[in-house]
Amino acid sequence: QGEIERLQAGLDAAIETMRRLGGDELPNGHDTALASAEKMWTGVKRQAEQVGHEIEQRPLVSAVAAFGIGMAIGLLFRGRRG
């Protein structure tokens, strides 16, 4: 949750910087890019909230799933070392 909040703060700061620069300093499509970034960030926040809610509702299942995924990723990358 803390990582998500830091990511949000960083993206919010980047969006604010783009707004301050504004006008002629950015390409003509900057409004479209800014709107796309804000839409994307809204989707990311919604997904993060859903994951957080799911973890709160079923913490044991979430922990077991995270462990299993971690083990699978570990096994995939273990063979590539060396």
Side-chain angles (χ1 to χ4, degrees):
Q1 191 71 18
E3 290 292 323
I4 292 170
E5 290 170 1
R6 282 192 288 279
L7 180 61
Q8 178 182 8
L11 185 58
D12 289 343
I15 290 171
E16 185 58 34
T17 299
M18 290 175 69
R19 282 190 177 136
R20 276 189 282 120
L21 290 174
D24 298 329
E25 295 180 31
L26 293 174
N28 291 335
H30 80 280
D31 288 334
T32 303
L34 185 59
S36 295
E38 288 176 339
K39 185 176 179 181
M40 179 191 71
W41 183 243
T42 300
V44 168
K45 287 193 298 188
R46 189 176 315 122
Q47 289 276 336
E49 289 171 2
Q50 286 177 330
V51 168
H53 181 69
E54 187 71 27
I55 290 171
E56 289 175 1
Q57 293 295 317
R58 301 186 315 184
L60 183 60
V61 172
S62 299
V64 170
F67 178 77
I69 291 169
M71 290 294 291
I73 291 172
L75 289 172
L76 284 172
F77 286 106
R78 187 175 120 189
R80 295 182 184 200
R81 288 191 320 193

